[in-house]
């Protein structure tokens, strides 16, 4: 096996290109802008997402609340179904345990009679 296999090659980290970050100096007058003033360059991350107006935010909150209520109802319904199935399984288990006790008792009586 040669020493130049990909696993043994050391990478020259100095050749790695830095990621392109957008740096805004602290003393920049463009840090806080009024919405009417928002004129960002294509490389400015603040301009990449559309600004949300109050109506959009209100709609998002309303939809999120509605979906949350619906999901909560779904979880409650599912939890109730699981609880019902668990209760049925526990009841069936009790019945089987009672049957086992009865069978064990019957076997003991049969065995006792056979020995007498």
């Amino acid at each position: 096996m040669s020493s130049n296999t990909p696993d043994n090659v050391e990478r020259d980290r100095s050749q790695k290109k830095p990621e392109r970050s957008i740096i805004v100096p602290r003393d920049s007058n463009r840090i806080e802008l009024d919405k009417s003033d928002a004129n960002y360059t294509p490389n400015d991350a603040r301009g990449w997402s559309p600004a949300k107006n109050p109506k959009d935010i209100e709609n998002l909150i309303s939809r999120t609340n509605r979906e949350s209520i619906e999901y909560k109802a779904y979880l409650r319904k599912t939890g109730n179904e699981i609880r019902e199935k668990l209760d049925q399984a526990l009841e069936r288990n009790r019945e089987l345990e009672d049957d086992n006790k009865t069978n064990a008792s019957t076997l003991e009586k049969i065995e006792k009679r056979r020995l007498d």
Side-chain angles (χ1 to χ4, degrees):
M1 187 175 217
S2 81
S3 62
N4 287 337
T5 61
D7 293 334
N8 294 334
V9 174
E10 288 196 32
R11 295 186 180 141
D12 184 3
R13 305 263 184 224
S14 66
Q15 298 299 322
K16 184 180 177 194
K17 294 181 181 178
E19 294 190 23
R20 296 183 60 148
S21 299
I22 298 171
I23 299 172
V24 179
R26 287 178 185 242
D27 58 349
S28 172
N29 61 353
R30 299 208 21 103
I31 289 178
E32 298 292 332
L33 294 176
D34 293 333
K35 286 186 179 185
S36 61
D37 242 7
N39 185 13
Y40 303 115
T41 65
N43 292 335
D44 194 327
R46 295 172 291 179
W48 293 351
S49 296
K52 303 280 188 232
N53 65 40
K55 184 66 176 164
D56 291 339
I57 293 171
E58 188 177 310
N59 288 340
L60 283 171
I61 291 170
S62 175
R63 189 180 81 219
T64 303
N65 286 339
R66 186 174 55 254
E67 289 174 358
S68 176
I69 290 167
E70 290 170 1
Y71 191 62
K72 183 178 175 182
Y74 165 77
L75 290 175
R76 184 175 290 123
K77 178 183 173 216
T78 304
N80 288 338
E81 290 171 356
I82 292 170
R83 193 173 302 114
E84 187 176 312
K85 288 180 181 181
L86 179 61
D87 288 343
Q88 291 171 355
L90 289 171
E91 181 59 31
R92 181 66 180 139
N93 189 49
R94 282 188 213 102
E95 291 171 2
L96 292 172
E97 284 178 347
D98 288 345
D99 289 348
N100 284 343
K101 288 177 186 175
T102 303
N103 290 340
S105 174
T106 304
L107 285 174
E108 281 180 24
K109 289 176 185 175
I110 292 172
E111 187 66 26
K112 195 172 192 179
R113 284 185 193 159
R114 193 176 68 92
L115 294 175
D116 287 339

